[in-house]
Amino acid sequence: MLLASAFVAARAVCCNLRVGGLKKIKAHVLVCENKDCERRGGREAYKALKESLRERGVRGRVLVTKVDCLDQCDDGPVMAVYPEGVWYGRVDAACAREIAARLAGEGASSSSPRAGACRVLHVMRAQEVRGDEAEG
C-alpha cells in the first residue's frame, strides 16, 4: 500500500496534479552540485535562484533539487529546467535570476533560444527523447 501511495504522489508531481496535500509544481530545476560546478560559482548561483524565486512569490511552485552531477563539467555550473527541458551552462547569479524571472512568467519563455545572461546548452524536446528510444 505504501508503494502505491508513493506512485500516486510521484505521478501527481510529474503531471502537475494536486493529490493529498502535495503542492502544485509548475517546474523542476536540477542544479549540479559537483565540485567542478561548485568551484565555478554554483553555490552562489543556487542561492541566487532560490532567493529570486522567493522574491517573485513562486518558490512554492518551483521545485529546486541539487543533484550530484549533470555530466556537463566543461560548461558548469549547470542547471536544467523541466518540463521545458532547457539546460543552461556557465550559470552565474545573473543567469539564475533570469531563470527565476522566466519561471515566474516574466520576459521570454524559459525555452527561448535567446537567453540573455544565460548560455543555453541544449533544449530537449519530448519527441527527441522518444525518437532516441525508438532507434535504440
Side-chain angles (χ1 to χ4, degrees), residues 1-63:
M1 185 64 166
L2 184 59
L3 184 59
S5 296
F7 174 77
V8 169
R11 178 153 169 68
V13 170
C14 106
C15 299
N16 210 16
L17 303 172
R18 184 171 179 85
V19 176
L22 288 175
K23 293 180 182 174
K24 189 173 183 177
I25 303 298
K26 175 184 172 187
H28 189 184
V29 182
L30 304 176
V31 180
C32 184
E33 70 171 354
N34 185 276
K35 61 185 175 187
D36 289 331
C37 286
E38 290 287 319
R39 252 193 315 263
R40 294 179 178 145
R43 181 168 293 146
E44 292 78 16
Y46 170 77
K47 288 178 183 177
L49 176 70
K50 289 189 74 166
E51 180 180 307
S52 190
L53 289 170
R54 198 172 300 112
E55 288 170 357
R56 288 172 164 80
V58 295
R59 178 65 188 101
R61 293 186 341 215
V62 178
L63 179 63

Side-chain angles (χ1 to χ4, degrees), residues 31-109:
V31 180
C32 184
E33 70 171 354
N34 185 276
K35 61 185 175 187
D36 289 331
C37 286
E38 290 287 319
R39 252 193 315 263
R40 294 179 178 145
R43 181 168 293 146
E44 292 78 16
Y46 170 77
K47 288 178 183 177
L49 176 70
K50 289 189 74 166
E51 180 180 307
S52 190
L53 289 170
R54 198 172 300 112
E55 288 170 357
R56 288 172 164 80
V58 295
R59 178 65 188 101
R61 293 186 341 215
V62 178
L63 179 63
V64 179
T65 305
K66 290 183 182 179
V67 296
D68 183 46
C69 186
L70 290 171
D71 198 28
Q72 303 298 313
C73 299
D74 291 339
D75 292 307
V78 175
M79 292 185 185
V81 179
Y82 286 93
E84 291 89 357
V86 181
W87 286 54
Y88 297 98
R90 300 188 184 147
V91 178
D92 59 8
C95 174
R97 286 189 291 272
E98 183 177 317
I99 291 170
R102 289 166 180 255
L103 291 170
E106 303 167 17
S109 75

Side-chain angles (χ1 to χ4, degrees), residues 102-123:
R102 289 166 180 255
L103 291 170
E106 303 167 17
S109 75
S110 59
S111 61
S112 169
R114 295 182 177 262
C118 297
R119 179 171 184 242
V120 175
L121 297 177
H122 187 67
V123 179

